[in-house]
Amino acid sequence: MSDQVGDPPSAADSEQPASGPVSAPGTGQTETNGAAGTAETAAGAAEAEEGTEGAAKGGETAEEAAAGAVAAAISERVQATVTSGALLSYETQMLLELLAEDGLLVSARGLGLERLVTALVRVHCDPGQLVLVMGTGRPEEEYIVERLAADGVSPLPRTVTADTSVSERRQVYLQGGVLFVTSRILVVDLLTERCPADLVTGLVVYRAHAVVESAQEAFILRLYRQKNKTGFIKAFSSSPLSFTSGFCQVQRVMRNLFVRNLYLWPRFHMQVNQTLKECAPEVVEIRLKMTPLMMSIQTALLDLINISCKEFRRLNPSLDWDSLTAETVLSRSFHKVTRHRLDPVWNQLSARTRQLASDLRTLRSLLLALPQLDSCSFYQLVAAQQTAERALNSGWAILDAAETVFVDARRRVFGDVQPQAKRAVRAEGKRPQPKVLTPEEPPRWPALSEVLSEIRAEVSAAAADESQDSLPLWPDKVLIVASDMAACRRIREFLTLGSEAALWRRFQLTLASRYDDDAFIPSTAVTTTPTTAQEKAPNKDGGQQTLTQMGNADPKTSAGGGTADEDELQVSLPDSPLLLLLPTKDANDPYQLQRSLHLYRPRYVVLYDLDVAVIRTIEVHQAATPERQLRVYTLLFSGTSEEQAYLTALRTEKQAFEYLISEKASMVVPEEREGRDDTNTDLERGAVQPEPAAASSRRGGVAPPPPAEPPRVIVDMREFRSELPSLLHRRGLEIVPATIEVGDYIVTPELCVERKSVSDLIGSLMSGRLYGQALAMSRHYRRPLLLIEFDQSKPFTLQGKYYLSSDMSSAQVVSRLQLLTLHFPRLRLMWCPSPYASAELLHQLKEGAGEPSLAEARSATADRTDTLAEDRVNPQVRDFVSKLPGVRQKTLYALLNKIDSLLDLLEMSEEALAEVLGSPTDASQLHQALHGKLSAPAPGDMSAAKRPATATTAGRGRAARPRFWRGKKKS
């Protein structure tokens, strides 16, 4: 096996029996060790009896038998997966279509795409195969492994990360099975042939909508298809909207994936609709109405959004953005669409247009927060916008509709009372009487209380039913699904404290700091709370609970920003089912809803906030577990922006699938798209070259000979996070991954390139790290080059505040670059608007040049002392020490590594300084500067004559002055 990979077999490999997959020639499949032993036995017997010709014939028969055994094992696992009932009927159809032919599968959100990927991984969990899964994150990998472990699948998939050493990775690949590999590691292993591409059974691509031409996944697929013509490629995506932006987006993605088939599974698919309808959950839809103040605020916010949209279209008629309406602003993809359309021309927009784009995002967040937040939390957001700076910069803050928002949001908290801030109370010199605070109760809280009361009554009636022979298989639980963790905390406060106490708590956490301590008092229901742990307080729902259940969480933690605790997400009330609170937007675990439904098996689900993916996930769970009937309560404000946002999400997804269906009907896919032969032009490497010139007479009528080997470029391992290595490989350059300390790209023996993005450039200039990198490149290479690469979707400019922070201006960046070029005259700067331009320029610099040496590139080391000092030294202290006499750039970091503070520098003797600086003269200058007297020397004092002369005080004549010094004119 080692000979097939290209590396010599080690002693350990020769002593131990092989346990990895073995490639069957011409089939692309793998065979087990037992099959390989059968092939060797059959070949030996045939050679002994029938000679060499019979041996070859026997070997072919054994290989065909091994391939048939692998295919039979796969078929058996597919049959077991299908007949086990773990998949729904439409999921089974998805799996069979993908197993029959490679392709890209696009499904609607929430239809259980992770279940399908888990089933596909289960089919290929065999040491006789090597299947690589890329594009997944840690949550997806943990969820798939957890489901497979629960089903008793062995061996389980493994993960190849940066923690796996280089020597171990090759053995992990040869052991076979299913591997989760990050894109950066896999592309390096394929280039170095550490991962045997010819032994790979297939690739599984997750989040296929992100596979663009310059992505690492596209680079991996191209390398894989160049070396393996028989393996499969299965791609998955649950984001149909991502395929609708751009020209022929779905065709370009399929071209990068090397697949011919497109499988579309929307929610309105006939088989999906029929499967989910056969066992649909019982749905109780509760329509809520906003309060008059909430309706007034919503109307005013919609007016402000319409005004801002009209003003934006009026100021920018060239953008042709007629679809920018209030409905577009409410859509889920508003931020993505705005960034996609405005980023390339952001530097060309006026300050007024940029402020309007920011205002639309602010108004959208306020409109979506209105039905979700309580009155105190919402007024905190509104009050943050009521500032003098906002009134000067934003046009909407001074409109009448904005005044309506400010006034009505305050009335929801304080009523008709006009609260006075602390400064106003102190200026008047008298304290008013405290007022009772009665904030407006969110309409969802009484509705949630009624739902829980109904569930409690039903559970009590079922428990009292004597005709029930046995207890239910699972205890009754109620799952309350909210939007985020902050919403779950507010629901818990309401359930445990009651509405009045919960609102008073919200006021204390959000608004109380603005007013005097005794300006407001809570209502009677809050002030009469018992003070002993043995007493119990009545809840608004009618239940009784102890004070320990009334919330012992820290108010700072409850305000938001903490991690989800299991105790915090569980609410236990007497005579009630266990209440489980679940946030849907948990970045740490996107599969928390699936895990909770499978683990707790709730009987009741309350959707506090509606989401399309959540509803479909519940439908899939109900269809997969028909023995446990679910009842789903939905709380939705009718005729509001919340309902419109939900309907807009459904409509945009339906339109995306209709677009994909029409594209599929008119799509022309060539037969060589999959790249299984040499006719696919996408697998050809090299830039477009002119026609070869005719034979020149100066060469004696002989055409120039072709290069003996393709040109190569040494690339640092850390650079594989960028797009440039993939584009260089596409242009025909051989990429040699290596860990080098000086530079990022070694193009020729004399040319070293350090690539910097704009953000990295600014950070390197601020920290001084770029100076050390330029010093190392100038020391080891004759032609150092700094490549400054911009993002192709953003403007090619440094002007303005688009790229720069508030404490850094474009003039400072330019001035620091000028100083860098003055210090290093041989350093060249190359500005590139995109990675494509960078690849073209590097390819032109490579033409006709020599090949770099890998050994020399690795031997060129930067100063380790510089790197260590940069990481730990305070920049202000470093700049101060660098300006002291006797401290040179070469000895700066050596001195900083010897001290921990400036006090240690003062305590060092002159001999110790000479040992560190390497020069007694420099040590004497530094010691004299630190310990010399500040007063001027007395007349006749000769101590000043003993001081070593510096570059600026060595003489008083014209020769001692710098060239750029200009003295005063004589009068």
Side-chain angles (χ1 to χ4, degrees):
M1 289 184 296
S2 300
D3 295 337
Q4 295 179 5
V5 177
D7 296 332
S10 60
D13 295 337
S14 59
E15 293 176 0
Q16 298 178 359
S19 58
V22 180
S23 175
T27 62
Q29 301 292 339
T30 56
E31 58 184 12
T32 59
N33 297 321
T38 304
E40 294 177 359
T41 304
E47 185 178 359
E49 296 178 1
E50 301 179 3
T52 307
E53 182 179 357
K57 183 178 180 180
E60 292 176 359
T61 305
E63 291 172 356
E64 293 177 357
V70 172
I74 295 177
S75 177
E76 182 180 355
R77 284 191 296 272
V78 172
Q79 186 68 21
T81 303
V82 172
T83 58
S84 62
L87 298 178
L88 302 177
S89 60
Y90 72 88
E91 293 175 338
T92 303
Q93 185 65 26
M94 290 180 181
L95 180 63
L96 294 179
E97 287 180 353
L98 277 177
L99 290 176
E101 290 189 57
D102 296 352
L104 167 63
L105 187 142
V106 182
S107 69
R109 292 192 307 123
L111 288 187
L113 188 63
E114 67 280 353
R115 291 163 49 90
L116 180 62
V117 177
T118 304
L120 183 62
V121 171
R122 181 189 291 111
V123 169
H124 294 286
C125 278
D126 186 359
Q129 303 181 58
L130 178 58
V131 178
L132 306 178
V133 183
M134 61 180 183
T136 57
R138 181 60 62 86
E140 289 84 6
E141 297 169 4
E142 292 179 352
Y143 178 80
I144 293 174
V145 173
E146 178 184 338
R147 298 305 309 143
L148 294 177
D151 296 339
V153 177
S154 180
L156 291 174
R158 292 166 294 169
T159 304
V160 179
T161 60
D163 298 334
T164 308
S165 63
V166 175
S167 58
E168 293 176 354
R169 290 210 295 263
R170 183 171 180 274
Q171 296 298 327
V172 170
Y173 290 129
L174 293 178
Q175 289 175 5
V178 178
L179 301 178
F180 295 105
V181 191
T182 60
S183 301
R184 188 176 67 89
I185 291 179
L186 183 55
V187 68
V188 172
D189 291 344
L190 287 175
L191 288 172
T192 58
E193 297 185 353
R194 192 176 297 117
C195 175
D198 54 338
L199 300 184
V200 177
T201 308
L203 295 180
V204 177
V205 184
Y206 203 72
R207 294 189 179 93
H209 54 270
V211 182
V212 295
E213 183 182 5
S214 58
Q216 292 291 347
E217 289 79 8
F219 191 13
I220 292 171
L221 291 167
R222 192 165 64 250
L223 291 173
Y224 172 67
R225 265 296 172 247
Q226 288 173 354
K227 301 179 181 179
N228 191 327
K229 303 295 184 180
T230 57
F232 66 79
I233 297 176
K234 319 288 184 185
F236 301 88
S237 176
S238 60
S239 179
L241 292 176
S242 301
F243 296 97
T244 58
S245 60
F247 179 71
C248 296
Q249 175 69 14
V250 63
Q251 298 186 29
R252 288 190 283 114
V253 171
M254 293 177 62
R255 182 177 180 179
N256 297 326
L257 290 170
F258 296 98
V259 295
R260 299 180 65 248
N261 301 305
L262 177 62
Y263 306 108
L264 302 177
W265 289 86
R267 176 59 180 86
F268 56 84
H269 193 283
M270 182 180 63
Q271 192 170 357
V272 176
N273 194 18
Q274 181 180 0
T275 302
L276 297 181
K277 271 189 175 181
E278 291 178 355
C279 187
E282 180 184 356
V283 179
V284 179
E285 187 175 347
I286 300 176
R287 293 277 181 169
L288 306 177
K289 292 185 178 180
M290 286 186 173
T291 62
L293 290 177
M294 294 178 67
M295 289 297 298
S296 175
I297 294 174
Q298 177 183 260
T299 304
L301 287 175
L302 289 174
D303 291 342
L304 292 174
I305 291 177
N306 287 322
I307 293 173
S308 301
C309 291
K310 291 179 181 179
E311 183 70 11
F312 189 93
R313 294 194 301 267
R314 185 186 67 83
L315 293 176
N316 303 275
S318 60
L319 288 179
D320 192 17
W321 204 348
D322 295 335
S323 60
L324 183 62
T325 59
E327 184 179 1
T328 309
V329 174
L330 289 176
S331 63
R332 181 190 180 110
S333 59
F334 173 71
H335 293 298
K336 183 185 298 184
V337 173
T338 305
R339 186 171 61 251
H340 177 72
R341 299 197 64 169
L342 297 183
D343 277 356
V345 294
W346 186 263
N347 62 318
Q348 303 175 15
L349 301 178
S350 62
R352 175 62 178 160
T353 302
R354 300 179 187 179
Q355 186 62 45
L356 284 173
S358 176
D359 293 343
L360 286 175
R361 290 192 293 268
T362 302
L363 294 173
R364 178 181 183 272
S365 61
L366 291 176
L367 188 59
L368 296 180
L370 176 62
Q372 295 179 355
L373 300 181
D374 58 271
S375 55
C376 297
S377 301
F378 181 76
Y379 181 62
Q380 182 191 21
L381 293 179
V382 172
Q385 308 298 326
Q386 196 175 8
T387 59
E389 182 181 1
R390 176 69 65 177
L392 292 175
N393 297 332
S394 301
W396 68 269
I398 59 176
L399 298 178
D400 294 339
E403 185 66 19
T404 302
V405 174
F406 297 145
V407 172
D408 290 346
R410 184 173 63 248
R411 289 177 59 191
R412 291 185 64 200
V413 180
F414 304 103
D416 296 331
V417 178
Q418 294 293 334
Q420 294 182 350
K422 289 183 178 181
R423 290 179 294 179
V425 173
R426 294 172 183 172
E428 293 178 2
K430 59 180 181 179
R431 295 180 178 274
Q433 292 294 329
K435 302 177 178 59
V436 178
L437 185 70
T438 56
E440 185 180 73
E441 184 181 20
R444 274 199 175 100
W445 286 5
L448 179 61
S449 179
E450 294 178 3
V451 169
L452 297 180
S453 299
E454 179 182 344
I455 295 174
R456 183 187 301 111
E458 184 177 348
V459 171
S460 301
D465 189 4
E466 299 179 355
S467 62
Q468 198 173 16
D469 298 333
S470 60
L471 294 176
L473 182 59
W474 298 283
D476 295 324
K477 297 182 180 65
V478 179
L479 183 62
I480 303 177
V481 182
S483 59
D484 51 13
M485 193 62 196
C488 292
R489 292 193 180 101
R490 290 191 293 268
I491 295 173
R492 178 182 174 84
E493 291 175 0
F494 162 69
L495 295 176
T496 56
L497 301 177
S499 61
E500 292 85 357
L503 289 174
W504 175 253
R505 182 184 179 89
R506 286 288 105 193
F507 176 78
Q508 293 292 327
L509 293 173
T510 56
L511 300 173
S513 60
R514 302 184 179 186
Y515 309 103
D516 199 60
D517 295 337
D518 54 355
F520 297 94
I521 59 175
S523 61
T524 307
V526 180
T527 56
T528 57
T529 304
T531 58
T532 60
Q534 289 78 13
E535 296 179 359
K536 295 183 179 181
N539 191 15
K540 188 164 185 174
D541 297 336
Q544 301 289 329
Q545 58 190 5
T546 62
L547 287 182
T548 56
Q549 296 172 342
M550 292 175 62
N552 297 326
D554 188 5
K556 296 180 181 180
T557 306
S558 300
T563 57
D565 189 5
E566 293 182 359
D567 297 335
E568 190 178 6
L569 295 178
Q570 294 183 3
V571 181
S572 178
L573 300 177
D575 302 329
S576 296
L578 180 64
L579 304 181
L580 304 172
L581 305 178
L582 183 66
T584 57
K585 299 178 182 178
D586 189 0
N588 297 327
D589 187 8
Y591 299 101
Q592 189 173 1
L593 178 60
Q594 289 86 335
R595 284 193 174 95
S596 300
L597 291 173
H598 180 77
L599 177 62
Y600 297 110
R601 299 291 182 93
R603 187 173 179 182
Y604 306 96
V605 178
V606 180
L607 298 182
Y608 194 81
D609 298 301
L610 283 188
D611 187 77
V612 176
V614 173
I615 295 176
R616 292 170 180 171
T617 302
I618 296 175
E619 288 181 332
V620 172
H621 173 73
Q622 176 65 80
T625 57
E627 68 278 359
R628 183 71 168 175
Q629 182 65 30
L630 273 174
R631 180 183 297 175
V632 181
Y633 294 88
T634 61
L635 306 179
L636 178 64
F637 287 96
S638 60
T640 61
S641 59
E642 184 184 34
E643 183 181 13
Q644 183 61 42
Y646 176 76
L647 296 177
T648 301
L650 291 176
R651 182 178 56 82
T652 53
E653 185 186 74
K654 181 180 178 181
Q655 291 177 351
F657 271 109
E658 291 176 350
Y659 169 79
L660 291 178
I661 291 172
S662 62
E663 284 289 314
K664 181 181 178 180
S666 60
M667 189 183 302
V668 178
V669 182
E671 295 182 358
E672 63 274 7
R673 170 63 59 82
E674 294 185 351
R676 297 184 182 274
D677 48 26
D678 296 332
T679 59
N680 192 336
T681 57
D682 294 331
L683 295 178
E684 298 178 359
R685 298 176 55 194
V688 179
Q689 301 290 346
E691 294 294 332
S696 176
S697 59
R698 294 185 180 182
R699 297 179 179 269
V702 180
E709 58 182 7
R712 66 176 184 271
V713 175
I714 300 175
V715 182
D716 187 30
M717 290 287 190
R718 293 163 292 187
E719 276 298 303
F720 283 93
R721 297 185 180 95
S722 64
E723 304 171 350
L724 188 53
S726 172
L727 300 178
L728 288 175
H729 184 271
R730 184 69 179 268
R731 299 184 70 88
L733 299 178
E734 288 294 332
I735 304 300
V736 181
T739 302
I740 54 179
E741 298 184 16
V742 179
D744 294 329
Y745 298 85
I746 311 300
V747 182
T748 67
E750 299 178 352
L751 179 59
C752 175
V753 179
E754 178 72 27
R755 189 193 68 89
K756 294 289 183 183
S757 62
V758 177
S759 58
D760 193 13
L761 173 68
I762 297 173
S764 301
L765 289 173
M766 287 289 292
S767 64
R769 180 163 50 94
L770 186 57
Y771 180 89
Q773 293 172 343
L775 179 63
M777 287 193 300
S778 301
R779 184 181 303 166
H780 295 281
Y781 297 94
R782 292 182 56 188
R783 299 172 59 192
L785 190 146
L786 176 61
L787 170 63
I788 303 174
E789 185 179 276
F790 286 73
D791 191 350
Q792 58 183 352
S793 61
K794 295 181 180 179
F796 182 44
T797 178
L798 274 176
Q799 303 300 323
K801 298 182 179 180
Y802 186 56
Y803 284 112
L804 307 177
S805 56
S806 58
D807 58 344
M808 188 82 174
S809 63
S810 58
Q812 290 176 322
V813 174
V814 174
S815 62
R816 289 173 184 257
L817 285 175
Q818 290 174 350
L819 291 175
L820 190 69
T821 54
L822 288 175
H823 280 85
F824 305 100
R826 291 190 290 113
L827 180 65
R828 297 293 182 264
L829 271 64
M830 186 166 66
W831 302 82
C832 296
S834 67
Y836 292 90
S838 303
E840 183 178 359
L841 289 176
L842 289 182
H843 186 261
Q844 292 177 359
L845 292 173
K846 180 64 178 177
E847 291 180 353
E851 302 299 333
S853 173
L854 182 60
E856 294 180 0
R858 288 176 174 173
S859 63
T861 58
D863 192 356
R864 288 285 185 178
T865 306
D866 294 2
T867 305
L868 295 176
E870 287 178 7
D871 295 338
R872 71 177 187 87
V873 173
N874 190 343
Q876 288 80 8
V877 177
R878 180 198 60 208
D879 295 341
F880 172 76
V881 175
S882 66
K883 294 177 175 58
L884 293 176
V887 179
R888 304 176 186 273
Q889 188 64 34
K890 295 181 179 180
T891 58
L892 172 62
Y893 292 104
L895 179 62
L896 293 176
N897 280 333
K898 290 291 184 180
I899 62 175
D900 293 331
S901 63
L902 292 177
L903 183 61
D904 296 342
L905 180 61
L906 293 174
E907 295 176 353
M908 293 182 67
S909 62
E910 188 174 346
E911 292 76 10
L913 290 174
E915 182 180 356
V916 175
L917 300 179
S919 171
T921 304
D922 295 342
S924 176
Q925 291 182 15
L926 179 59
H927 192 271
Q928 183 66 26
L930 294 175
H931 299 280
K933 295 182 180 180
L934 296 178
S935 58
D941 189 5
M942 300 302 295
S943 60
K946 298 180 181 180
R947 299 177 186 172
T950 60
T952 58
T953 61
R956 296 294 181 182
R958 185 185 300 268
R961 300 171 182 172
R963 289 180 298 175
F964 53 83
W965 184 85
R966 294 181 180 179
K968 295 183 179 179
K969 296 182 179 180
K970 296 182 180 180
S971 57

